[in-house]
Amino acid sequence: MKLDRLTRQAAFVLAAFATLLAGCTTYVTSQVTAFSDWSGSDATRTYAFARTADQKNSLEQATYEQIVANELALHAFRQTDEREAHYLVALAYGMRSDTVTVSQPAYYYSAWPGPYYWGRPFDPWGPWGPWGPYSGGYVNQSYPVYTHLLGIRITDRATGKELYNVTARNTDEQSSLIAAIPYLARSAMSDFPLGNGVVRTVKLPVDGKGGISNEVTADNAAPPVPASGAKTVQ
């Protein structure tokens, strides 16, 4: 039957469209800001996490520490007992909700049913007419958005001097902070150590399983500012 052929054709088009969408890459984009007076070497990259009183018995804190520890390990940091650590690493994190209002064009269509065949009235303002759809002005649409933030602060344990302070933040429609933390941690620690005063955008592609791909794309938005006595050791 003709209807069956149309159904099969429609299914084929939908399947092709789904395949095209599957091939598109989704990115998580974060803004990273770093302040640095880093002069460490690989031989001294032992650290322990520093916790506030509220963080000491927090499962959330422990979960985020493990995620950050995995990123630190990629840069030759080795977690150890606090008494033996050369550095202390402190974390700050949070989420803020906002509402974004967007002005969008509003459309309406003719009340005449369509499509139009011979013997039925022709409405030039209808969806199949030469001037349809017809704009009815603009309406305001409000959407919730969520800003997620992760800060990583590295200090010298013996002196308390701050050596590296980096924050990463992103905004999307998802409210889950735990889902955002892996991307924020990877973005914050990418190309460690950054220069002092560097502000840049980091794009991380999402792999087919919803995880982070190994590819990192970063665009510097501001040049580094020299820090007193700063020395970068790769």
Side-chain angles (χ1 to χ4, degrees):
M1 296 176 63
K2 183 177 180 181
L3 182 60
D4 292 335
R5 290 198 301 271
L6 291 176
T7 301
R8 288 195 296 270
Q9 290 175 357
F12 177 78
V13 172
L14 290 175
F17 185 65
T19 302
L20 178 62
L21 289 179
C24 297
T25 302
T26 302
Y27 290 89
V28 175
T29 302
S30 303
Q31 184 183 64
V32 176
T33 304
F35 296 95
S36 176
D37 195 9
W38 186 260
S39 59
S41 66
D42 291 349
T44 60
R45 290 186 181 182
T46 56
Y47 75 97
F49 283 106
R51 306 178 181 93
T52 65
D54 293 336
Q55 293 174 338
K56 286 185 177 179
N57 298 312
S58 169
L59 286 173
E60 182 181 22
Q61 171 73 17
T63 301
Y64 298 160
E65 284 181 0
Q66 184 57 58
I67 295 172
V68 173
N70 292 338
E71 298 302 323
L72 289 171
L74 298 177
H75 301 280
F77 281 89
R78 179 171 58 89
Q79 190 173 0
T80 186
D81 184 84
E82 182 174 342
R83 293 169 296 182
E84 303 173 357
H86 189 89
Y87 304 109
L88 294 179
V89 177
L91 304 182
Y93 44 84
M95 180 185 68
R96 185 184 67 189
S97 62
D98 293 293
T99 301
V100 174
T101 301
V102 179
S103 181
Q104 297 179 330
Y107 297 98
Y108 69 86
Y109 296 94
S110 168
W112 287 104
Y116 301 100
Y117 302 103
W118 292 111
R120 300 181 65 176
F122 175 75
D123 181 3
W125 303 104
W128 284 271
W131 298 287
Y134 186 70
S135 175
Y138 288 82
V139 295
N140 291 330
Q141 296 285 344
S142 296
Y143 305 93
V145 294
Y146 302 89
T147 299
H148 313 95
L149 181 141
L150 172 66
I152 302 174
R153 182 174 184 257
I154 303 177
T155 58
D156 184 277
R157 185 184 66 84
T159 65
K161 179 182 178 182
E162 183 178 87
L163 302 174
Y164 199 71
N165 192 333
V166 60
T167 59
R169 72 183 70 213
N170 60 39
T171 301
D172 60 28
E173 72 281 1
Q174 301 297 325
S175 61
S176 173
L177 180 59
I178 180 59
I181 287 292
Y183 296 94
L184 295 174
R186 176 68 57 85
S187 299
M189 293 305 300
S190 64
D191 294 331
F192 174 87
L194 296 175
N196 188 50
V198 166
V199 180
R200 69 177 190 165
T201 299
V202 177
K203 293 174 61 178
L204 297 175
V206 181
D207 64 23
K209 299 180 180 179
I212 307 175
S213 173
N214 290 328
E215 177 188 352
V216 177
T217 302
D219 298 319
N220 283 343
V225 178
S228 59
K231 177 183 177 184
T232 299
V233 179
Q234 298 295 345

